[in-house]
Amino acid sequence: MYQIILNPVAGKKKALKNLQTVEKILTERNIAYQVHKSTCARDAENIARRLTEDGGKNLLVLGGDGTLHEVLNGIVDPTQGTLGLIPSGTGNDFAEQMKLSLDVEKATLKILNGEAKEIDYLEIGDRRCMNVAGLGMDVDVLERCQKGRMKGKLKYLKSLLQSVFKFKGYPVLIQNGELEEKHDVLIAAVCNGAQFGGGIKICPGALADDGKIEVIVVETIGGRWKLIKALLKLLKGKILEYPATTHFHCDRIKFIPDTPCTVQLDGELYTGLDFDVKIRRGLKFYC
């Protein structure tokens, strides 16, 4: 039995269209399923929690990174049951990371004919994150996106350009084991996946099954031209080559901003979240 969790508005209603194909394939194969449609923010999380209260289930997500994020946070025990994704969002960054097909039929058949493999996820405070989390300019970009009227990737690019000229950065204490360092941060990110923002590769070598947190810290260094150079490196997937970037991996890290700030997990914004990051293993994911 597959429990399908669907975000009807994901990907400009792409999820609803994809559902028709998924249902057709499951029906032809006489595979039992139930469909659960979210109706508001965090409803997919509530659905996943209700479905897994009495043990693991075979969950199938039709949506994008945001829907996947909600479902991951709703699962009572991520080491029980299985999780599959039919990419149906706008950016589909984690789907790209896991090399999932954007063709709904191919993606569905890969799940039905394959086996779920164990991958990692991040635990940040009392929340979970599948792909990339961070604070700094990426959050400023997302906040601008929420206010703007444009849609899709153009909205993100416009907001990114605005942030280059507006965002000033801020001090963050980074605790890595017994080591503490103060950084003036433009971007501080932890990665399980390689990209965010609809294809921007912040950590091209990241693997979702290596048991490590990839940490990327880009320092705020004076001069608008230097920030533009950093942006160009980021857009080209070469931010690790930027002189003011520090990159390392670990299994636990904590970011403490001088003043409370908003952070993002899988593109979802949180205020007041304790940015204490741990790696967790054992999520069974079809990939």
Side-chain angles (χ1 to χ4, degrees):
M1 168 80 77
Y2 283 93
Q3 302 291 344
I4 299 174
I5 302 178
L6 166 72
N7 179 358
V9 299
K12 299 179 181 178
K13 300 186 178 180
K14 184 192 299 183
L16 278 175
K17 182 180 178 181
N18 286 349
L19 176 63
Q20 298 175 14
T21 302
V22 174
E23 287 188 304
K24 180 175 180 292
I25 294 172
L26 293 174
T27 301
E28 288 174 347
R29 293 188 169 211
N30 294 316
I31 298 174
Y33 67 92
Q34 292 179 333
V35 177
H36 311 267
K37 296 180 181 179
S38 63
T39 59
C40 58
R42 292 204 176 180
D43 194 29
E45 180 176 335
N46 293 331
I47 292 169
R49 183 174 296 110
R50 185 176 70 249
L51 289 172
T52 59
E53 281 177 342
D54 60 349
K57 297 291 191 302
N58 295 318
L59 302 182
L60 187 56
V61 176
L62 270 74
D65 294 319
T67 310
L68 184 62
H69 174 79
E70 287 194 17
V71 171
L72 175 64
N73 277 278
I75 298 172
V76 173
D77 182 353
T79 65
Q80 301 298 312
T82 61
L83 181 60
L85 173 65
I86 306 296
S88 306
T90 302
N92 298 310
D93 285 307
F94 194 70
E96 177 73 18
Q97 165 75 15
M98 303 310 293
K99 296 180 172 57
L100 304 182
S101 176
L102 297 183
D103 180 282
V104 59
E105 183 173 352
K106 290 181 180 178
T108 305
L109 291 176
K110 185 172 184 177
I111 290 172
L112 298 183
N113 297 331
E115 293 184 4
K117 301 177 182 179
E118 289 194 357
I119 66 170
D120 310 327
Y121 63 93
L122 305 176
E123 185 178 272
I124 303 174
D126 61 354
R127 302 295 290 172
R128 299 169 185 150
C129 174
M130 186 70 89
N131 189 39
V132 176
L135 51 84
M137 193 172 75
D138 55 334
V139 173
D140 188 68
V141 170
L142 290 171
E143 289 177 328
R144 293 178 188 278
C145 282
Q146 287 189 347
K147 297 174 184 177
R149 296 181 179 179
M150 295 177 67
K151 302 294 182 182
K153 294 183 180 181
L154 284 178
K155 175 180 66 175
Y156 190 89
L157 182 57
K158 179 184 177 183
S159 300
L160 185 59
L161 291 172
Q162 290 174 333
S163 287
V164 168
F165 292 97
K166 299 288 187 179
F167 186 70
K168 304 298 183 183
Y170 42 74
V172 175
L173 178 67
I174 299 178
Q175 295 179 338
N176 180 16
E178 297 182 357
L179 180 64
E180 289 190 354
E181 293 183 347
K182 198 69 167 286
H183 293 259
D184 195 18
V185 162
L186 181 68
I187 298 173
V190 289
C191 307
N192 189 44
Q195 66 182 51
F196 65 167
I200 298 174
K201 295 188 182 299
I202 187 169
C203 189
L207 298 172
D209 60 355
D210 62 354
K212 294 295 181 182
I213 305 167
E214 300 285 344
V215 183
I216 311 293
V217 179
V218 184
E219 302 281 350
T220 301
I221 52 178
R224 196 59 56 196
W225 174 240
K226 291 181 179 179
L227 288 180
I228 292 173
K229 287 176 67 176
L231 171 63
L232 292 174
K233 287 286 189 183
L234 180 62
L235 292 176
K236 292 178 181 179
K238 297 181 178 180
I239 193 62
L240 301 186
E241 299 176 6
Y242 187 60
T245 298
T246 301
H247 170 222
F248 58 93
H249 60 257
C250 58
D251 53 23
R252 184 168 186 176
I253 195 162
K254 187 171 186 177
F255 296 161
I256 308 174
D258 271 15
T259 56
C261 67
T262 302
V263 301
Q264 68 86 11
L265 279 60
D266 295 326
E268 302 299 309
L269 298 177
Y270 293 89
T271 300
L273 184 68
D274 183 20
F275 211 95
D276 187 357
V277 189
K278 308 177 189 71
I279 193 75
R280 296 301 188 201
R281 313 197 73 181
L283 174 68
K284 299 177 182 67
F285 189 84
Y286 286 99
C287 52

